[in-house]
Amino acid sequence: MKVTRVQSQIVQLPAEEPLAGGPPFHRPFHEFVTLRIETDAGVEGIGVSFFATALTATLKLAVDQLGAMVIGDDPLRIEAIGQKLRDATGGWAGPGGISTLAFSAIDMALWDIKGKALGQSLATLLGRLRERVPTYASGALLRTHPLDHVVKAAPLLVEKGFTQMKMQLALPSDTTPGSEVERAKLIREAVGPDVDLMCDIISAGA
């Protein structure tokens, strides 16, 4: 099997918070770069990546440039392709940044191809340690959401069956450690003691 074509596009999706109906985002949509890798065996793989900034077009270009390098390669040799792309993008700057974001879309599509070609799920390909995995709610308790909203949103997540959820603290504006502690306390009281409550924190001075 050989890769015959790599095609990407920018996809815009409405910027909505579906878990608990959060307030509007500062932009009307989120942008993603989607990728389709085609093979001579008729098996296709789909990948996706995102930057969430004004550099989405740059990310698409990076995906296209890396994608061109895998045409003719065997898509089942995922590690070999990964090493090839890392060698091409490492350079003096080292790995990371937009090259890693671009590679992630390609890597995802290659695993999609492998699973389809072998008739197995990704979980099975990776060893399938367990039959079920827990999920946690993310994106509904954002640092930019008013306090009165998050204390109402958190119980809604519990009602939907989530036993784990993530909140954000430390607004990048006028805030204090005391107010952030109070915010965490009120969210904890809203969900009760049996919910695993995780947290992202950004310094107020960042």
Side-chain angles (χ1 to χ4, degrees), residues 25-26 87 92 148 193 200 205:
F25 285 84
H26 65 280
D87 289 344
W92 294 103
D148 61 347
D200 280 341

Side-chain angles (χ1 to χ4, degrees), residues 117-185:
L118 300 179
Q120 297 183 346
S121 68
L122 179 59
T124 300
L125 291 176
L126 296 179
R128 198 168 184 174
L129 175 62
R130 41 180 81 87
E131 292 297 320
R132 298 171 63 89
V133 295
T135 61
Y136 70 90
S138 178
L141 308 176
L142 300 181
R143 60 178 59 88
T144 52
H145 289 170
L147 179 58
D148 61 347
H149 169 75
V150 296
V151 296
K152 294 177 181 177
L156 293 177
L157 301 177
V158 178
E159 291 177 9
K160 291 185 176 183
F162 288 103
T163 59
Q164 299 177 322
M165 61 189 68
K166 185 171 68 174
M167 62 180 174
Q168 295 180 334
L169 296 179
L171 291 166
S173 59
D174 185 20
T175 189
T176 65
S179 64
E180 297 304 295
V181 169
E182 181 66 14
R183 185 181 180 94
K185 176 184 176 182

